[in-house]
Amino acid sequence: MGHRTPILTTYRFQWAKCQLDYLCTLSTDKERRSALETLPADLFETYTRILNRVARSTPGNRRLVERTLRWIKFAHYPMKIEAIATAVAVEIGSRSIDEDDISDRDSILKWCSSLVTHDEKAGILSFSHFTVEEFLTDKKLLEIPELQDFYLDESESERILAKVCLTFLQYPEFWHWDLKDSKTIREMADEVLFLNYSCEWWLRHAEYGEIGDDKTYIELTRRLFNPQKSSNFVLWLHIWWAEHGPYNLETPKAAPTLNIAAALQLEHICRWLLDEHSCDVNFDDAIVGTPLICAIRGVGYGTNPIKEEVVRLLLSHGADGDINFGELDSLDGRNDDTLPKKVIRTPMSLTLDIASRDVECCCAVFRRLLEANCISSCADSAVWRSYVIRRVPGPPRGDSWLPPPPPPPPPPQGYAVGRPARIRRPSNASSHISESHSEDVPEQMLVVLFRDTLKHPDSISLDHESRSKMISYITSHGNETSDLELVSTLATRKDLNDFLSITTDQAISAAECGQTHVIKTYVEIGVDPEILYECIPSAADSGH
């Protein structure tokens, strides 16, 4: 009973406030007496009366209230009333905004009435009570014909907001901006209401809205990603990258639109650029690499989860799967002042990095590379030193090109932690994985992947260190007799070892991992005894 009392009290206060607000809109005592004789029974009826008043008004007022409520509900952060007024005035697909069509503050507050509240200090417009949101998303609203347009369906609303953002950021008002300096761009963008929001969040709205083959959305994205690279594209990329791109990379303003589309997993844009514009599928940008590298790494929300379909599309159009990419390593964990070094990465190495976020997606993309005979070294992948391999995608995050950070500590009990996060829909990127593997733990999925890789006809071209680490992983995590038999077979295959120039580091690695068969083969083929001698301390220290 103690928990119910505050809730009932807040309901009653909200109901009473709405009645007083409504009475204040009436002009005569007669109207007020009539209203007092027909008071609504509950908040649903109260909110219905407010919207009925709007519905009987002009089309412009209906549009103003409907769009304002939609932005309050689905914006990714609380917006100022002036920004919402600008967003409401945008007509999807238009080429410019009519300044005379932007509603003023008083009009918004008048027609939204008791449904909203305006924080005078912060300028934020929000729902006046949590029951307003419940009312607008209650399907009972669809049973009232004249109020059906006010019902807020999530997917439809996300699609609308995505298209509004895309429309706004491509207005010609931004064509003549100086786009040479990111800091200057950000300063100018801060002066334009709704521009930062449009640039930063249209992608997320499109993702949540599962926008698919919406013709207007496709037209707007094609206009933005035109291979000629409009100034609007460069402007968007500067603002978006500063908010969601990797913090250790500058904005890739010279990268073709295909590379950026691949990084964002925009398959329909990639296909359009390749099929209709014959864009270079192997253009190697100095910051983000080739389209294939971009597609495998992704960028953004951790990210728009990697889609194997984009990788397959690029490979089918001739993407080079053997190309290397140089990146700066992370300084995390270092105790000295050493500058970051450039590390050479390959498509397969980058693909294995995905396992820390989504092992199913990792396996799906890796198999696409195998099918295309794009076998490259993966010895430097983070997967070999990762203690956590996730079965499903991790939470959205901005620095997806970096190793996953440790999870944050749980908040103290009894304290709110801000706006509740929306639930990310699961990726279907790896839906082709057989059901027989669907119940396997992540480690077993990698065991199967490495087993299939080592059995691949072209696996002889795989470098020794990568093969050695795969064998070690199978030895440590495999739970089938066939796994041990495969390890034994590989360790005694002379065709794989005769041409190898065995180094001390490779031998020590085999000893540390307990690869007895590999060490035995080294002895049989006559590896330098001094190298084998170096393995003894490592084998002893690791218990092998």
Side-chain angles (χ1 to χ4, degrees), residues 6 13 23 33 169-170 270 274 298 347 384 427 433 488 490 492:
F13 272 116
L23 291 173
R33 281 194 297 270
L169 68 88
Q170 296 187 73
C270 292
L274 291 168
W384 309 119
S427 166
I433 294 180
S488 178
L490 290 172
T492 56

Side-chain angles (χ1 to χ4, degrees), residues 13 42 55 60 68 87 93 110 147 182 205 230 255 288 316 386 413 524-525:
F13 272 116
D42 54 28
T68 297
K110 172 185 175 181
L147 301 184
S182 294
H205 283 303
S230 67
V288 295
S316 69
S386 174
Q413 293 186 355
E524 292 175 352
I525 64 176

